[in-house]
């Protein structure tokens, strides 16, 4: 297993901190009060959460200690790899465990998964939170190693069996406490206290023997008097029965008369009920049915009124049929009518635009007709050309003539120069004339181009207007054709020019048709509902055996009245029958019909009963006297009985608790033996691991130590094995670190957990700190270690 990273939102003084973890030793060398122990606690709580137990020093106090100082979300996230699969734990904490939230995500998909529950620490490490703090989590000044039930179970690969080794310490403590409560030797033991109670009760019971003898004699006298009273009561009962027989004869005759009256009433009510049963040969409807049928009759009246109001007159019927023929191909929708209205508006606009375009076209044509084309003239400048040519010819001819004359250099040179100048002047005139001519021709061409552009500008609006007019003509024609086709479906023949009136009339016809159609449909629906309701009412009467005729309301009222009379007759008959049955059950008709005669008169019987009553009174007084005496004795005997019951109960409980006490003693002994035998199975690997780490930390190879089955270390000092609690704090920390690392080796042979070491070497001397740093480097090959320290001397880097 390996941690990847964690993000602390808020936990104690830590807030918005992200940390990435690497393999081997992850060193956190920070000053005091940085939050190293808080970060270590955060890592543990992300796997285990806060413990919900309310024991002293339990994790519920940590929930308050690590509550964010600055407020905000209480919790964070932790990424880790377990069995080649990456996960993310997200926890947020509230004031109680119920308000905590836990989520687990698969980092391969970033989806929430359910591979583990919120008890993920127990499920991965196989240890509860307290056992984890006693093994892979080594806190500062808390290096001592102590075996727990979970550690023993993990070592024995019995993590799944939570009812045996996991609960050994709890079971032993409960047995010890129970035996102390039962102890026959301790003054507070229940067996000891009950033994004293039994002795006291035995002595008290000996004082009640005389009272028991007196109560026995008095009980015999009381029994004799009670026997006399029963005999006299029996005699009086016989006299009273005889007196009852004597007076019963007159009462019996009266009862017989009452019974005859009840029989006659029952017969009369039966005849009345039979007469009403002939009215309803089918069945008698219930009151709820009559309520419903009366409502249906009222509905018939409403439907009849509706039919009268909704029915079409002859004129409306003719109009409706005519409109139905008009709209045989379908009724135009409002959308179609609005679309046609928009088309006609467009047609009207197109006609107006066409008139405007024709006006514009006439305007541009008139402008074109008024325009006169400019005359482009170019001056030939012939005089300059003739003069130039003449001067050029004169000069050339004169210069040529000088070469024909006899050679007289001094005279001919000025003539040649002058004639040459004349020829050059002629050339200048010719060039100037050509230059001016070219300039005039260019100006003429530019004017001609400008004219062409102006003509083009005049022609373009005309062409655009003509194209627009052509498009408008085509659109007008399309609208005209659509209008004719649309109105033709409804037998209306008109063009687009006068279609607005037809459209208005068509819309009116549609509205009228829809109104008449709605009334017709509602009238038909009302007729169907009227017929259906009437048939149901008639069927109701037929089912009960009655024909309502034409006046259905009167028929139902008559039926309801007869049904009420029938139920009244049925109720009267049932009451008469019930009274007769009650009379028969109360007076036992066979005894009422029997004849019994009494041999004594009423006066004789009354005198005999009076004499017996006097004798019974004398006996009663004697019984009352004996009873008072018996009550006094019985109070003493009740106390004795209570003492006897208390003594018997004490002896029974004493025997039961002695059995429990002996059983608990044997159980305690057997459990201890079983635990020692169980622990011996994994003692060897722990001893080897402890020896390896002890030698690395101390350099001592003498093996002057021993690990017992309770995973406790003893060191040999002055030739005797001694417990580690007598050693220095530093040495206790050293032994605790070695034992914890040995436990982790033994518990996790395959998937190694990460180790959290919160400055465990703080109490070691300099040499052992050096060995401790070397130890960390060696075990970093197998474990990912999170090492927190505040001092450079304990820095393994």
């Amino acid at each position: 297993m390996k941690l990847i990273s964690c993000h602390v939102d808020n936990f104690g003084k830590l807030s918005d901190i992200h940390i990435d973890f690497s393999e081997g030793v992850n060193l956190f060398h920070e000053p005091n009060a940085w939050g190293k122990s808080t970060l270590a606690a955060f890592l543990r709580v992300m796997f285990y959460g806060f413990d919900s137990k309310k024991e002293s020093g339990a994790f519920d106090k940590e929930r308050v200690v690590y509550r964010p100082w600055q407020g905000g979300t209480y919790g964070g996230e932790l990424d880790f790899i377990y069995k080649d699969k990456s996960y993310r734990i997200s926890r947020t904490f509230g004031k109680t465990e119920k308000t905590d939230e836990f989520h687990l995500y698969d980092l391969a998909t970033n989806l929430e998964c359910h591979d583990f529950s919120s008890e993920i620490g127990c499920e991965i490490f196989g240890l509860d939170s307290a056992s984890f703090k006693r093994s892979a989590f080594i806190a500062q000044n808390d290096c001592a190693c102590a075996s727990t039930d979970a550690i023993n179970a993990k070592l024995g690969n019995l993590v799944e069996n939570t009812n045996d080794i996991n609960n050994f310490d709890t079971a032993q403590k409960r047995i010890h406490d129970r035996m102390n409560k039962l102890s026959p030797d301790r003054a507070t033991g229940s067996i000891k206290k009950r033994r004293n109670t039994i002795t006291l009760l035995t002595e008290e019971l000996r004082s009640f023997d005389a009272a028991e003898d007196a109560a026995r004699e008095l009980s015999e006298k009381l029994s004799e008097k009670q026997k006399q009273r029963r005999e006299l009561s029996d005699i009086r009962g016989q006299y009273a029965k005889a007196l009852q027989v004597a007076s019963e004869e007159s009462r019996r005759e009266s009862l017989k008369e009452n019974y005859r009256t009840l029989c006659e009433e029952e017969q009369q009510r039966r005849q009345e009920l039979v007469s009403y049963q002939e009215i309803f040969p089918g069945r008698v409807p219930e009151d709820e049915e009559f309520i419903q049928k009366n409502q249906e009759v009222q509905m018939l009246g409403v439907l009849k009124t509706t039919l009268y109001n909704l029915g079409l007159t002859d004129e409306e019927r003719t109009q409706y049929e005519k409109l139905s023929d008009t709209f045989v191909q379908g009724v135009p929708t409002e959308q179609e009518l609005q679309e046609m209205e928009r088309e006609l508006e467009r047609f009207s606009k197109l006609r107006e635009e066409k008139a405007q375009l024709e006006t514009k076209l006439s305007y541009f044509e008139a402008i074109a007709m008024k325009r006169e084309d400019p005359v482009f003239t170019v001056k030939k400048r012939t005089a300059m050309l003739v003069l130039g040519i003449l001067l050029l010819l004169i000069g050339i001819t004169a210069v040529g003539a000088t070469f024909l004359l006899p050679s007289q250099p001094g005279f001919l040179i000025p003539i040649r120069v002058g004639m040459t100048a004349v020829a050059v002047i002629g050339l200048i005139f010719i060039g100037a004339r050509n230059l001016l001519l070219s300039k005039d021709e260019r100006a003429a061409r530019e004017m001609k181009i400008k004219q062409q552009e102006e003509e083009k500008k005049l022609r373009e609006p005309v062409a655009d207007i003509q194209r627009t007019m052509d498009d408008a003509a085509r659109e007008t024609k399309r609208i005209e054709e659509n209008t004719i086709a649309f109105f033709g479906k409804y037998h209306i023949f008109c063009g687009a020019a006068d279609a607005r009136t037809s459209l208005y009339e068509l819309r009116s016809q549609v509205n009228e048709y829809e109104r008449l159609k709605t009334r017709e449909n509602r009238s038909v629906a009302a007729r169907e509902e009227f017929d259906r309701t009437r048939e149901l009412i008639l069927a109701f009467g037929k089912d009960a055996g009655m024909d309502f005729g034409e006046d259905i309301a009167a028929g139902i009222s008559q039926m309801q009245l007869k049904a009420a009379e029938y139920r009244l007759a049925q109720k009267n008959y049932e009451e008469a029958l019930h009274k007769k049955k009650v009379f028969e059950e109360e007076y036992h008709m066979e005894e009422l019909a029997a004849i019994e005669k009494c041999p004594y008169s009423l006066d004789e019987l009354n005198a005999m009963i009076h004499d017996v009553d006097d004798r019974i009174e004398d006996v009663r007084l004697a019984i009352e006297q004996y009873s008072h005496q018996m009550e006094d004795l019985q109070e003493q005997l009740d106390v004795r009985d209570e003492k006897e019951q208390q003594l018997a109960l004490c002896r029974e409980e004493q025997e039961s608790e002695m059995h429990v006490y002996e059983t608990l003693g044997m159980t305690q002994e057997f459990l201890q033996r079983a635990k020692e035998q169980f622990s011996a199975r994994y003692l060897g690997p722990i001893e080897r691991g402890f020896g390896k780490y002890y030698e690395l930390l101390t350099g001592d190879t003498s093996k002057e130590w021993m690990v017992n089955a309770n995973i406790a270390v003893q060191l040999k000092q002055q030739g005797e094995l001694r417990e580690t609690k007598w050693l220095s704090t530093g040495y206790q920390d050293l032994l605790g670190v070695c034992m914890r690392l040995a436990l982790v080796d033994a518990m996790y042979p395959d998937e190694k957990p990460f180790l959290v070491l919160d400055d465990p070497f703080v109490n070691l001397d300099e040499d052992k700190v050096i060995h401790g740093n070397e130890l960390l480097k060696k075990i970093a090959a197998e474990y990912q270690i999170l090492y927190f320290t505040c001092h450079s001397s304990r820095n393994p880097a």
Side-chain angles (χ1 to χ4, degrees):
M1 178 181 183
K2 185 178 71 172
L3 301 182
I4 302 174
S5 64
C6 74
H7 182 83
V8 183
D9 290 331
N10 293 282
F11 193 86
K13 69 180 297 182
L14 301 178
S15 177
D16 194 20
I17 293 178
H18 183 84
I19 300 173
D20 293 321
F21 302 106
S22 61
E23 296 184 358
V25 179
N26 291 263
L27 176 63
F28 295 88
H29 182 190
E30 302 293 344
N32 291 330
W34 178 83
K36 300 185 293 300
S37 297
T38 301
L39 178 58
F42 171 79
L43 297 175
R44 171 174 51 78
V45 171
M46 290 305 289
F47 280 101
Y48 285 97
F50 291 116
D51 201 329
S52 60
K53 296 180 180 178
K54 301 301 180 183
E55 301 173 359
S56 176
F59 289 137
D60 64 322
K61 293 186 177 180
E62 286 186 332
R63 183 185 297 272
V64 178
V65 171
Y66 293 117
R67 186 168 293 155
W69 296 6
Q70 65 286 336
T73 301
Y74 189 2
E77 296 177 342
L78 177 65
D79 297 352
F80 66 95
I81 298 175
Y82 180 70
K83 292 185 178 181
D84 299 327
K85 192 171 181 179
S86 299
Y87 298 95
R88 172 173 292 165
I89 297 174
S90 174
R91 285 187 189 265
T92 56
F93 305 103
K95 292 184 179 180
T96 62
E97 183 182 10
K98 292 182 179 180
T99 57
D100 292 348
E101 291 188 9
F102 168 83
H103 300 283
L104 181 68
Y105 299 93
D106 184 346
L107 292 182
T109 62
N110 288 332
L111 296 177
E112 187 166 1
C113 66
H114 303 282
D115 293 355
F116 304 100
S117 69
S118 60
E119 303 293 332
I120 184 171
C122 298
E123 295 166 1
I124 289 181
F125 301 115
L127 300 174
D128 56 25
S129 180
S131 300
F132 181 75
K133 290 185 68 176
R134 286 283 175 265
S135 54
F137 188 94
I138 306 177
Q140 179 179 332
N141 294 322
D142 187 19
C143 301
C145 181
S147 175
T148 66
D149 292 343
I151 290 176
N152 291 332
K154 182 65 177 176
L155 289 170
N157 293 322
L158 297 176
V159 178
E160 298 302 327
N161 189 350
T162 60
N163 294 319
D164 42 31
I165 193 64
N166 277 331
N167 297 317
F168 171 78
D169 291 340
T170 304
Q172 285 288 60
K173 185 178 183 305
R174 288 181 179 177
I175 291 173
H176 179 74
D177 294 343
R178 181 60 174 159
M179 289 184 69
N180 284 341
K181 292 179 180 179
L182 296 175
S183 174
D185 302 320
R186 296 167 62 95
T188 58
S190 61
I191 295 177
K192 175 70 174 178
K193 292 189 290 186
R194 191 178 294 106
R195 185 180 296 165
N196 297 333
T197 302
I198 290 173
T199 301
L200 180 62
L201 289 174
T202 302
E203 293 296 329
E204 290 180 353
L205 286 173
R206 292 175 184 173
S207 63
F208 290 101
D209 293 341
E212 185 176 2
D213 295 337
R216 186 182 304 109
E217 181 181 354
L218 190 59
S219 178
E220 292 175 357
K221 294 180 180 180
L222 184 60
S223 297
E224 181 66 25
K225 289 298 181 181
Q226 289 175 343
K227 180 179 178 182
Q228 292 180 10
R229 185 172 64 179
R230 286 194 297 270
E231 291 175 352
L232 291 172
S233 296
D234 291 341
I235 293 172
R236 189 185 188 287
Q238 293 176 3
Y239 291 164
K241 184 176 180 181
L243 182 64
Q244 182 179 5
V245 170
S247 62
E248 184 70 15
E249 293 179 2
S250 61
R251 188 182 70 84
R252 187 181 293 114
E253 290 299 327
S254 176
L255 291 176
K256 289 181 180 179
E257 182 64 25
N258 291 340
Y259 183 69
R260 282 193 294 272
T261 302
L262 292 175
C263 292
E264 292 174 357
E265 182 181 1
E266 185 263 341
Q267 184 64 25
Q268 180 182 357
R269 299 303 184 187
R270 180 195 297 274
Q271 292 176 356
E272 292 176 356
L273 180 61
V274 170
S275 65
Y276 280 106
Q277 288 177 343
E278 294 175 355
I279 299 175
F280 296 100
R283 67 180 185 88
V284 181
E286 300 294 335
D287 291 338
E288 292 78 5
E289 295 181 87
F290 283 114
I291 293 174
Q292 180 182 356
K293 295 307 171 184
N294 284 324
Q295 291 176 351
E296 292 177 357
V297 169
Q298 294 177 2
M299 181 58 68
L300 280 180
V302 173
L303 292 173
K304 189 173 182 181
T305 303
T306 302
L307 285 173
Y308 176 79
N309 293 331
L310 291 178
L312 299 180
T313 63
D314 294 341
E315 182 180 353
E316 289 175 333
R317 175 69 61 184
T318 302
Q319 179 68 9
Y320 178 67
E321 292 175 354
K322 180 180 179 181
L323 292 174
S324 297
D325 294 337
T326 301
F327 299 117
V328 68
Q329 296 184 16
V331 180
T333 64
E334 181 62 25
Q335 182 178 359
E336 291 175 333
L337 294 172
Q338 292 178 357
E339 180 64 27
M340 178 52 61
E341 187 173 2
R342 286 192 292 269
E343 288 284 81
L344 294 177
E345 289 178 357
R346 178 167 175 75
F347 180 81
S348 178
K349 289 181 180 180
L350 288 173
R351 294 181 64 183
E352 293 177 358
E353 289 177 0
K354 183 178 179 182
Q356 293 175 358
L357 291 173
E358 289 175 349
T359 302
K360 287 184 179 181
L361 184 62
S362 301
Y363 170 75
F364 283 111
E365 288 178 349
I367 291 175
M369 292 176 62
K370 292 179 179 180
R371 182 176 175 277
E372 295 181 359
D373 295 334
V375 178
F376 303 103
T377 57
V378 180
K379 295 181 179 180
K380 299 299 183 178
R381 301 185 189 276
T382 306
M384 289 183 66
L385 178 61
V386 172
L387 179 59
I389 294 173
L390 181 59
L391 291 175
L392 178 61
L393 291 176
I394 292 173
I396 293 173
T397 302
V399 173
T402 59
F403 286 100
L404 296 178
L405 294 176
S407 176
Q408 295 179 358
F411 172 74
L412 293 176
I413 290 174
I415 294 174
R416 290 176 181 169
V417 173
M419 290 300 106
T420 301
V422 171
V424 170
I425 293 171
L427 289 173
I428 291 172
F429 271 100
I430 293 172
R433 181 263 178 186
N434 291 335
L435 181 61
L436 293 173
L437 183 61
S438 176
K439 183 178 180 181
D440 291 341
E441 290 176 349
R442 186 167 59 254
R445 284 196 303 272
E446 291 177 353
M447 291 179 66
K448 188 173 183 180
I449 292 171
K450 184 176 180 180
Q451 178 193 4
Q452 292 175 351
E453 290 177 352
E454 291 178 353
E455 290 179 354
K456 183 179 181 181
K457 288 180 181 179
L458 290 174
R459 286 196 302 271
E460 284 179 354
V462 174
D464 292 340
I465 292 171
Q466 190 62 47
R467 284 193 298 270
T468 304
M469 290 179 64
D470 294 341
D471 294 340
R474 286 192 295 271
E475 181 67 10
T476 302
K477 183 178 180 181
R478 182 192 67 78
I479 294 174
E480 183 79 22
E481 292 173 353
N482 290 345
T483 301
I484 294 173
F486 176 77
F487 284 102
K489 292 190 298 184
Y490 311 111
H491 310 295
I492 299 174
F493 304 100
C494 64
D498 53 352
R500 282 185 175 274
T501 302
S502 300
L503 181 62
Y504 176 79
E505 294 177 356
L506 178 61
R507 188 186 297 273
S508 299
Q509 291 177 357
V510 168
N511 293 335
E512 181 66 11
Y513 176 73
E514 293 292 345
R515 184 184 69 82
L516 295 176
K517 183 179 179 182
T518 300
R519 284 183 56 187
E520 178 67 12
N521 292 338
R522 289 175 61 189
S523 177
V524 171
R527 168 59 65 183
E528 293 175 353
E529 180 66 16
F530 179 86
D531 294 340
R532 185 188 67 81
T533 304
R534 188 173 184 277
E535 289 299 324
L536 289 176
I537 296 174
L538 293 176
F540 169 74
K542 184 177 181 181
D543 182 49
M546 296 188 68
D547 185 4
F548 292 145
E550 293 299 327
D551 193 350
I552 295 177
I556 289 181
S557 298
Q558 184 67 21
M559 178 189 283
Q560 187 173 6
L561 178 62
K562 293 298 182 182
E565 293 175 352
Y566 171 85
R567 289 192 179 87
L568 179 60
Q570 186 179 37
K571 180 180 178 182
N572 293 335
Y573 170 70
E574 290 174 351
E575 290 177 352
L577 189 64
H578 177 70
K579 287 191 291 185
K580 178 183 174 184
K581 184 177 179 182
V582 169
F583 185 92
E584 292 175 346
E585 292 175 351
E586 181 178 1
Y587 294 105
H588 305 288
M589 301 307 296
E590 295 180 356
E591 296 180 3
L592 190 63
I595 300 175
E596 187 176 357
K597 296 292 183 178
C598 179
Y600 301 102
S601 66
L602 292 176
D603 293 335
E604 292 174 338
L605 289 172
N606 286 327
M608 294 166 65
I609 290 174
H610 180 71
D611 182 57
V612 172
D613 287 340
D614 290 340
R615 293 171 62 187
I616 290 176
E617 179 63 20
D618 293 338
V619 173
R620 187 192 66 77
L621 292 174
I623 290 175
E624 185 176 350
Q625 182 180 2
Y626 291 152
S627 297
H628 287 313
Q629 297 175 7
M630 192 68 181
E631 287 176 0
D632 295 337
L633 291 174
Q634 190 63 42
E635 290 181 359
Q636 301 180 38
L637 295 177
D638 289 343
V639 173
R640 183 205 62 179
D641 293 341
E642 291 178 1
K643 298 292 184 181
E644 288 179 346
Q645 292 178 1
Q646 186 177 357
L647 178 60
L649 182 61
C650 285
R651 287 173 176 170
E652 183 180 350
E653 291 178 350
Q654 189 78 339
E655 182 180 355
S656 175
E657 287 195 351
M658 281 298 298
H659 177 72
V660 172
Y661 181 79
E662 294 170 357
T663 303
L664 288 173
M666 291 186 292
T667 303
Q668 189 178 44
E669 182 179 353
F670 290 151
L671 281 176
Q672 185 62 35
R673 291 179 186 175
K675 183 196 181 273
E676 292 174 357
Q677 293 174 1
F678 178 80
S679 301
R681 291 167 47 189
Y682 52 77
L683 187 58
I686 293 177
E687 278 187 321
R688 290 191 294 273
F690 177 81
K692 177 180 67 173
Y693 294 120
Y694 181 77
E695 182 178 345
L696 287 173
L697 274 177
T698 63
D700 184 2
T701 60
S702 61
K703 198 177 180 182
E704 296 293 325
W705 50 267
M706 183 178 70
V707 180
N708 60 29
N710 292 324
I711 314 180
V713 182
Q714 292 177 309
L715 287 182
K716 185 175 289 186
Q717 297 285 332
Q718 302 298 323
E720 184 179 351
L721 290 173
R722 303 181 186 277
E723 296 182 7
T724 58
K725 65 181 180 179
W726 306 112
L727 301 176
S728 67
T729 302
Y731 221 91
Q732 290 184 37
D733 289 351
L734 182 147
L735 296 176
V737 170
C738 294
M739 181 56 70
R740 291 201 184 191
L741 294 176
L743 281 177
V744 173
D745 284 348
M747 288 190 294
Y748 302 100
D750 299 322
E751 186 82 13
K752 300 293 185 182
F754 64 90
L755 300 179
V756 179
L757 306 181
D758 187 6
D759 218 350
F761 305 141
V762 66
N763 294 316
L764 301 188
D765 56 36
E766 294 179 358
D767 292 339
K768 292 183 176 59
V769 167
I770 294 174
H771 290 307
N773 292 338
E774 294 175 355
L775 172 65
L776 292 180
K777 294 178 181 179
K778 291 182 180 180
I779 65 176
E782 294 185 72
Y783 295 94
Q784 183 185 36
I785 302 172
L786 278 63
Y787 183 73
F788 301 89
T789 184
C790 62
H791 202 279
S792 59
S793 63
R794 299 189 292 276
N795 187 341

